[in-house]
Every structure is written in C-alpha cells, then in structure tokens.
Amino acid sequence: MEGLVQSGIEGARKVLILAETLFDQSCSDKGGDALIAFPDTAYFLPMIYAYSGGEIKKIKDLDGVFLMAKRLLDEDTDEVNKALNAGMAALLLAEGIAAIRYLRNEEPQKDCEGFFTDSILRSLGLQLAGGKIPGFALIIGAAPDTSSAVEMIRDFQGKNLVTFAGGESAGLSIIDQLKEGDIEMGWDNYLVPYGRDIISAIYPINWAVRVALTFGALKGGDRGTLLKYTRERIPAVGVKLGEITPEEIAFAWGAVNLGFPVVVHADLPSLTLPGICKYEAVKGEPDIRKIPGAVLQIRGIKIKVKKIPIPVSYSDAFQGERVRREDTYVEFGGKYSTSFEFLTMRVLEEIQDGKIEVEGKEINEMTEGEAYPLSLLVEVAGRKMQRDYEPILERLLHSFINSAEGIFHIGQRDINWIRVSKEAQRKGFRLHHLGVIIHARLHEDFGNVIDKVQIKMSSVKETVEGLLETARKSYQQRDERMAGISDEGVEEFYTCTLCQSFAPHHVCIVKPERLGLCGAYNWLDCKISHDINPRGPNQPIKKEKGIDLVMGEWEGINRAVRENSKRKLERFHAYSIMTFPETSCGCFECIVAYIPEANGFMVVNRQYPGMTPSGMTFTTLAGSVGGGQQIPGFAGIGRLYIVSRKFLKADGGIKRIVWMTGELKEFLGERFKKRSEEEGVPDLMEKIADEDITTTLEELLAFLGRVRHPVLTMKPLM
Ligand code: SF4
Ligand code: ZN
C-alpha cells in the first residue's frame, strides 16, 4: 500500500513536469492566447470543468490547473487521500496535455479515436440506460502476445462490454496487437482504440465524467456530486497489462478516486477502499484469461449472456463486424441473388414451436464464393401477438442475425443481404442456425407477446420466388395500414421515460405521428414495449378532452407531463415549438430552431459539425435545448418527424423550413418529396438552403428571396 502511494505521487509529479514543459514550449511557439479545445464538446476540458468549474479556453488558462494540481499534491493528509489527490492531479494535468496536443495536431494518434465527442457520449449513454451495455473496460498496456490479446478482447465482446484499448507496455500497444490479430475496431464493434500512451487514457475518463455532466445534471465544480455519480452510476473498470510505471499508478489512483476499480495483470495483494469502491479498489490477476471475469466481479457488473446453441460466438458486440468479400464463403441477396425475410403472425394451432425447416442446399453443400437465393420465413403466434407488431419484430431480425460472429446482415424485407464467412462455415455454421438464433431471441426478448416461433428457409429458386410474391403483398398492406394510423385515430399516446435514469425530469410523449426525439422509439415500438413490460418506461396515456387541437394540447397529456416531470412542467403543445414545446433529454437526432429574421425554421442533425445560419453549431444549440428545459423556438426531434404530416403543423409545417443540412436532405429524400407534393410545393427541397448554399443569415435571406421560398408569404410567427 505504502509503495503504491509513493509511486502514485511520484507519477503525478512526473506528469506535472511533462505538462509544464509542454506548456512552456507551446506558450513560446503559439502564444499563451492560443485557443485550446477538444472537438465537438460543450464541456470545455471536461475533467477540469467537472472538477473545478474552470472553463479552459486558452493555453494560459492552464496556469490555474497547475496551481490546483500542486495544491492537491502538497496537501497534508492521510496516506489514502494523498494517493487519491495525486490521482486526481494526474488526470487534470493529462487533460491539459491532451488539449495542447490537439492544438499541435498530435492528436488523435494514428488509427485512434482520440477525444470521444458529445455525439458519441449521448448514443453510448442511451445504450447504457437501456441496459444494452452492461459496462466499460479501459485497457492500458499490451498483452504478453497477440493471441492472448485477441482472446481477451473476444471475451470482453462476448460479454457485451465496451472496451477502450490503448496505452503501451515496453513500447508495444495492445492496439497494434489487435491490428496484427486482424480484429476490427470501432464503436460498432464495442472496441475503441483511444491512443498509445497513458496520457491519452484521459479520453475514456473524461467521457465518463461527461455522462455525469450531461445526464446527471451535474454543475461544473460540484465535486461531491461528480464523485458520487461516477462511483454509483458508471460501471467502468481499468485493466493494466504489462510493466507498471509510476505515471500509470497515478492514473490508477485517479480512476479509483472516480470509483473505477483497476485489475492488474500481475500477482498483487488486493486493496479495498470502503466508501469509494464497493468491492476491491485494486486487484491482481496473474492469469490473463481470467481478467474479463475479474472485471465483472470487481464492479459488480451483471450480464445476461445469451446462450444460443450455435457453433460461433454470439453477442451484440459482433453487430458491427463486416464480412469482406474475400472472407465470404457464401452470400444471399444484395445485388447477387433473390433474397428476403418475412415475419408473419399465425394462429397458435397452426405452428409448432421450435420447428426449423431448410429446403434445398445447406451451406456446406453450397459452392464457395457463390450467391444463392434465400427465403427466410418466420411464423409467430401468441395470445398477445398483434398484426401491428409484425414489422417491429421483423426489423429486429437484422440485429438478431448480425450478432453472430462471422455472419453479416444488412437491409430488410426483400432488400436484405446476408454473408456467411469462411471461418463460420468451417466452424459448422448452417442456415439451420439462423433459425436457432431467431427462435431463441424472439422467445428471450418477446416472451410476453410470443408463445410459438417456427422458421422455414429455402434456397430453391422457385420456392423463393413464389413466396416473395406473398411477402411483397404483405409489405404493401402493412405500409398502407401504418400510413393510416394518425394522432386523431388513436385514444392513447405513450410516455417514454427511459432517459429518466439520466435526465430525471424528462418525458417523451410518443404519438403515431411524432416519434421519440432519439429516433429509436415510435408509437408502435412503445405499444409493444408496454405489452412486453407493463411496468416499464412506456405507459399508455389517454388523450382525454382536447384543449387546443390545433396546437396539439389535451388534458390527459398535460396531466402525464406534470406527473412525469415531477411538476417541473405544466403543459405541452405537440404541434408547435413557439409555445410550450416538448422538452428534450439530450438524445435528439436533430434540433429545430426558429430564425426570426427569416420567419422560418432551420434543422440541424447531430453529425453536422459546422456553423448554421442561427450563428450556433449543433453543440451550442444542444447546450440550451437539452436537460428538459422548455425554450420556445427550439426543440430536439427525431429525423423522421420532419416528414410527418404533423411536423410543427401549428407553426406552418415543413413549408417553414428554410435551412437544413445536406445530410438530412439526402436522408429524407423521397419521403420529403412526397410530403412537399402533399403541401402543394413539389420543389420545396430546392428552395431550402443547406451548408453548401450558405451558413450565414444574410446570404440565407437573399437566397430565400431569390428562390421565392413559400415562407415569404406566410404569417409571421412572432
Ligand atoms: Fe429517451 Fe425519449 Fe428516446 Fe425514450 S423516446 S429513449 S425518453 S429520447
Ligand atoms: Zn434521451
């Protein structure tokens, strides 16, 4: 223990020297007034901001951070607190170093993510809240060899943990071992390389701190709440591989201070710190194969491992895995053959649960490198099953199938595309196993709705083409039925309070014609989710008496808003953002903002980093829209709401849109065109400016005049 304290302090002092040297050098190269910032974040240097409230914008602002670090290092306190102080000092200093490196174009490092942006923060946060991700492992160093590195990572992926890989040990980083082992990395693979040294380990850490800032309503400088939040709510664990340096020990103390225990690949006695880490704070594990298990145990992470009897591994972490052409054994659909998937409802007596039929050739009888036709028919039955659920369940076939290692699936309906890798075929994967997966997942995830699942597949051309006719008729009927569900046509809307674990006063009111602002839940999704989990985050609410049907205000909805917002909010206008707009947690796909000078709206999506004619970027706008506040003129929305007939109808609907990003225009494409025709302005898209046309207000106004945008003849909104 004493050794660890001393080494931690020594390490923090080394980081201090490193920071001061880089600071002096950069002050003389670039000047103390040079701006420093991480990309796409509203939280300055987040670790420093969360801990001290300090808004670092220039190199010279770091002076205050040095003082803070020295004060922490000099404090006369007991051994444990000395070590925890040294840890915090190391994290604050490392963040300053990383920010200066960004200015010097030394970050992100080659093949590494570098700083994790706020966009990623929100999408990961949502998955954490929804229980999809059980925890995070931060790996620092290198494994003894490539194969043990690969094996360990596969184990983490199989447990659905998101792994941040990086750091180094004797000049070698696990990142390079994984590259050598041909392991695909990236957010979709739950495996993210952050950087190749200990300083860059600040990125996963200041990501975790931003979860508290974004979702925990934490104010910068509120240390007590910060530490309480990270210790209780963020299931992260550090893993150190290889020789340990004093700087790494300092970092480990910093992680422990935030409540993130550390597993060390060595024979070490355990260290416990009650009140900070619930189980051990530091634990040695000399057997690398046991490290993933130790990570779960030390943070009390529970995982639901999906045990599905197939010959390849199965986990959400494989969803991002691609199967390249040269690695493909056989494929179905895409451009190469006729293929479709279709899920349909039957009466209970008609089907036999667990029955899986494969007509025609099995994978091992197929010729390597060829494409074959495939029909995938899933028949389900259940007392609570409804026809309306078919498309939702069918859409999930994608993630069910894609979670199998070595199986690649994209698209849906009759434009699906499945590849089976050579490796998966060699391990014994067959078409039959697609059925095994679908049967298991539907029962596991939808047991309340479905009692029986039966799967029929065929690779015989005639059968496939015959069945395709029937499926296509159903697809079309479904689309017509869905298009017919309107806000007026239903008695009930649904609440979604999934984000309350992060944003305690936020509630989404999900309607047939306005999906949740995260874009992930529409009205039918909420309906089925309520059937599966009646006490869950989606509750039906009766609209009751209409107060103002133009604005979209109902008594029952207002009551639900009051109750769910813990009385912070009184009323919502569903179809206007100018009066009582619906609020946002922080997960919105887009922001709509009123531009008074143009008498219209602009819409910007999360992925767009540039400037908008409102004079604000997405990130700046997000700062005022998020956190459950009701600000007239601004709202967070799901992308598809733009092409809904109820899109801000009371404010004039899509004809009010004067500026929209190119990415959104492309995404909405045909759907937008159809809506514009309905509104009597078929060429509306061409009259809406985007970033290629302008990002300034002046030019926007000139453009609107030039194209005779319909907004010119509309009533002023204010
Ligand atoms: Fe969160 Fe609203 Fe999406 Fe539900 S619908 S997950 S509350 S953003
Ligand atoms: Zn949310």
Side-chain angles (χ1 to χ4, degrees):
M1 167 81 177
E2 202 175 308
L4 283 179
V5 175
Q6 279 319 315
S7 306
I9 295 173
E10 185 197 328
R13 292 204 183 275
K14 286 188 165 181
V15 180
L16 177 63
I17 293 169
L18 190 66
E20 285 183 325
T21 313
L22 187 64
F23 175 82
D24 290 342
Q25 202 182 334
S26 305
C27 277
S28 69
D29 296 355
K30 313 254 177 194
D33 282 321
L35 298 178
I36 48 173
F38 292 123
D40 182 22
T41 179
Y43 302 106
F44 313 96
L45 273 48
M47 185 73 230
I48 295 170
Y49 175 67
Y51 185 74
S52 70
E55 302 178 1
I56 307 291
K57 293 173 185 158
K58 297 176 176 170
I59 294 191
K60 68 178 182 201
D61 299 341
L62 288 174
D63 248 340
V65 179
F66 293 139
L67 276 179
M68 202 156 50
K70 284 176 191 156
R71 230 178 291 131
L72 280 166
L73 283 166
D74 293 339
E75 194 186 331
D76 189 18
T77 176
D78 60 60
E79 290 291 284
V80 170
N81 278 304
K82 272 187 187 162
L84 294 172
N85 278 351
M88 189 53 78
L91 299 184
L92 298 170
L93 292 164
E95 189 170 57
I97 296 174
I100 299 183
R101 284 185 184 172
Y102 259 95
L103 176 70
R104 300 165 65 98
N105 286 323
E106 293 163 9
E107 290 280 341
Q109 300 170 26
K110 189 169 175 288
D111 307 319
C112 294
E113 182 73 15
F115 182 80
F116 306 166
T117 64
D118 285 2
S119 302
I120 285 164
L121 164 74
R122 293 206 166 89
S123 79
L124 271 192
L126 196 60
Q127 294 185 61
L128 187 64
K132 205 167 167 231
I133 297 175
F136 305 92
L138 163 55
I139 300 181
I140 297 168
D145 50 61
T146 296
S147 73
S148 57
V150 168
E151 199 183 323
M152 181 179 68
I153 290 300
R154 285 296 188 219
D155 198 350
F156 278 124
Q157 288 180 315
K159 293 179 161 58
N160 267 5
L161 292 178
V162 173
T163 310
F164 303 122
E168 50 113 23
S169 171
L172 182 66
S173 176
I174 186 162
I175 297 175
D176 298 302
Q177 294 180 315
L178 296 174
K179 282 181 69 176
E180 192 186 297
D182 218 8
I183 298 288
E184 234 181 289
M185 290 182 263
W187 291 103
D188 289 344
N189 302 294
Y190 285 32
L191 173 61
V192 183
Y194 56 82
R196 286 184 180 76
D197 67 341
I198 183 66
I199 297 299
S200 51
I202 191 64
Y203 299 132
I205 294 179
N206 72 12
W207 168 79
V209 163
R210 268 178 297 152
V211 175
L213 287 164
T214 311
F215 299 109
L218 172 76
K219 295 273 170 292
D222 183 355
R223 274 166 225 181
T225 312
L226 167 69
L227 296 181
K228 189 168 177 324
Y229 191 97
T230 54
R231 286 172 188 176
E232 284 173 8
R233 296 205 181 216
I234 301 184
V237 179
V239 175
K240 172 60 199 157
L241 306 174
E243 287 294 313
I244 313 179
T245 66
E247 290 91 327
E248 288 168 341
I249 295 178
F251 251 75
W253 280 111
V256 165
N257 200 344
L258 291 165
F260 310 152
V262 179
V263 176
V264 182
H265 181 215
D267 201 355
L268 274 186
S270 293
L271 174 71
T272 49
L273 295 173
I276 297 177
C277 292
K278 195 167 169 196
Y279 306 98
E280 296 98 327
V282 180
K283 180 185 164 73
E285 176 50 72
D287 183 350
I288 194 163
R289 283 165 308 178
K290 291 188 181 152
I291 286 184
V295 163
L296 297 184
Q297 177 264 325
I298 200 172
R299 195 78 177 103
I301 299 171
K302 298 260 180 309
I303 49 164
K304 276 205 323 202
V305 194
K306 301 178 189 91
K307 266 281 157 243
I308 297 180
I310 52 173
V312 297
S313 304
Y314 191 83
S315 151
D316 289 342
F318 295 120
Q319 282 188 32
E321 171 206 38
R322 266 157 274 272
V323 175
R324 283 172 293 212
R325 163 160 284 274
E326 62 270 27
D327 299 328
T328 302
Y329 185 76
V330 283
E331 59 191 324
F332 310 94
K335 298 189 284 281
Y336 311 104
S337 63
T338 309
S339 168
F340 72 93
E341 58 205 36
F342 179 52
L343 181 143
T344 189
M345 179 181 158
R346 301 270 188 246
V347 286
L348 274 167
E349 297 70 37
E350 255 176 12
I351 63 173
Q352 187 188 330
D353 184 45
K355 186 167 156 198
I356 300 170
E357 282 174 11
V358 180
E359 185 197 55
K361 285 185 178 160
E362 247 304 355
I363 289 177
N364 52 326
E365 297 152 349
M366 295 177 178
T367 313
E368 185 175 322
E370 289 288 306
Y372 290 83
L374 181 70
S375 61
L376 173 54
L377 172 66
V378 182
E379 297 168 301
V380 301
R383 266 170 289 268
K384 286 176 82 179
M385 180 63 198
Q386 297 183 20
R387 237 204 227 270
D388 283 344
Y389 297 162
E390 287 177 351
I392 295 173
L393 299 173
E394 187 181 283
R395 204 173 66 200
L396 289 168
L397 296 178
H398 165 72
S399 61
F400 291 172
I401 296 174
N402 225 7
S403 297
E405 188 182 9
I407 315 301
F408 165 84
H409 177 285
I410 58 169
Q412 26 133 352
R413 292 190 172 180
D414 53 354
I415 52 163
N416 70 347
W417 181 15
I418 301 173
R419 272 182 168 169
V420 176
S421 73
K422 289 177 188 163
E423 179 75 4
Q425 125 72 16
R426 198 185 48 76
K427 286 182 180 163
F429 192 89
R430 304 290 173 254
L431 284 174
H432 175 86
H433 295 118
L434 289 178
V436 174
I437 293 170
I438 294 165
H439 173 260
R441 289 299 305 269
L442 283 173
H443 274 299
E444 185 181 300
D445 298 3
F446 296 92
N448 271 358
V449 176
I450 293 173
D451 299 318
K452 288 181 176 180
V453 182
Q454 151 180 313
I455 294 112
K456 289 181 189 149
M457 281 164 280
S458 173
S459 56
V460 177
K461 196 162 172 273
E462 292 69 34
T463 315
V464 176
E465 279 165 4
L467 280 170
L468 180 57
E469 286 299 301
T470 328
R472 280 197 174 134
K473 267 188 213 117
S474 278
Y475 297 149
Q476 201 188 340
Q477 282 166 6
R478 245 184 224 174
D479 288 344
E480 284 159 12
R481 196 164 54 231
M482 276 309 300
I485 305 184
S486 66
D487 290 0
E488 290 79 16
V490 300
E491 288 295 308
E492 293 167 335
F493 295 159
Y494 283 87
T495 57
C496 185
T497 50
L498 197 61
C499 286
Q500 286 200 347
S501 55
F502 287 140
H505 305 294
H506 173 73
V507 54
C508 275
I509 305 291
V510 184
K511 299 170 271 297
E513 294 178 276
R514 183 167 179 173
L515 78 169
L517 55 92
C518 57
Y521 294 88
N522 66 28
W523 185 80
L524 270 179
D525 294 320
C526 292
K527 189 165 148 67
I528 190 170
S529 133
H530 176 71
D531 267 356
I532 293 163
N533 181 6
R535 271 192 287 277
N538 302 114
Q539 296 298 323
I541 32 170
K542 288 243 179 318
K543 290 189 286 186
E544 297 180 15
K545 190 161 156 270
I547 299 173
D548 185 335
L549 294 180
V550 175
M551 288 298 175
E553 187 176 9
W554 298 266
E555 281 181 357
I557 305 303
N558 280 350
R559 188 165 352 97
V561 168
R562 275 195 294 278
E563 280 164 14
N564 282 286
S565 71
K566 326 243 163 19
R567 310 221 143 253
K568 286 240 157 130
L569 296 166
E570 285 293 318
R571 52 200 285 210
F572 270 176
H573 278 171
Y575 309 139
S576 169
I577 57 164
M578 303 310 289
T579 48
F580 310 104
E582 298 187 346
T583 57
S584 306
C585 42
C587 317
F588 34 80
E589 288 187 297
C590 309
I591 296 174
V592 196
Y594 175 53
I595 305 181
E597 296 84 350
N599 189 29
F601 294 143
M602 54 153 273
V603 196
V604 54
N605 58 308
R606 183 175 291 281
Q607 292 76 17
Y608 173 74
M611 189 39 78
T612 75
S614 68
M616 291 182 269
T617 59
F618 178 90
T619 311
T620 319
L621 283 164
S624 46
V625 176
Q629 305 166 75
Q630 203 165 33
I631 302 180
F634 297 90
I637 57 164
R639 291 183 295 182
L640 285 176
Y641 179 47
I642 302 170
V643 287
S644 155
R645 291 197 182 92
K646 291 294 191 312
F647 174 74
L648 306 181
K649 199 162 183 290
D651 302 332
I654 52 169
K655 284 193 282 187
R656 277 281 175 199
I657 302 177
V658 293
W659 190 93
M660 183 156 78
T661 60
E663 220 174 323
L664 268 176
K665 282 186 170 182
E666 197 186 316
F667 171 78
L668 298 171
E670 277 307 305
R671 283 175 283 207
F672 194 88
K673 181 123 195 21
K674 209 168 137 244
R675 281 288 301 124
S676 326
E677 280 160 14
E678 285 172 11
E679 294 287 326
V681 198
D683 58 348
L684 182 58
M685 190 73 108
E686 289 90 75
K687 297 186 178 205
I688 296 175
D690 57 34
E691 69 273 23
D692 285 339
I693 295 168
T694 180
T695 55
T696 72
L697 182 57
E698 234 172 39
E699 285 175 14
L700 174 65
L701 297 178
F703 172 82
L704 298 177
R706 222 165 37 238
V707 298
R708 309 213 52 73
H709 192 289
V711 87
L712 300 174
T713 58
M714 288 167 82
K715 226 173 51 220
L717 274 175
M718 263 169 67

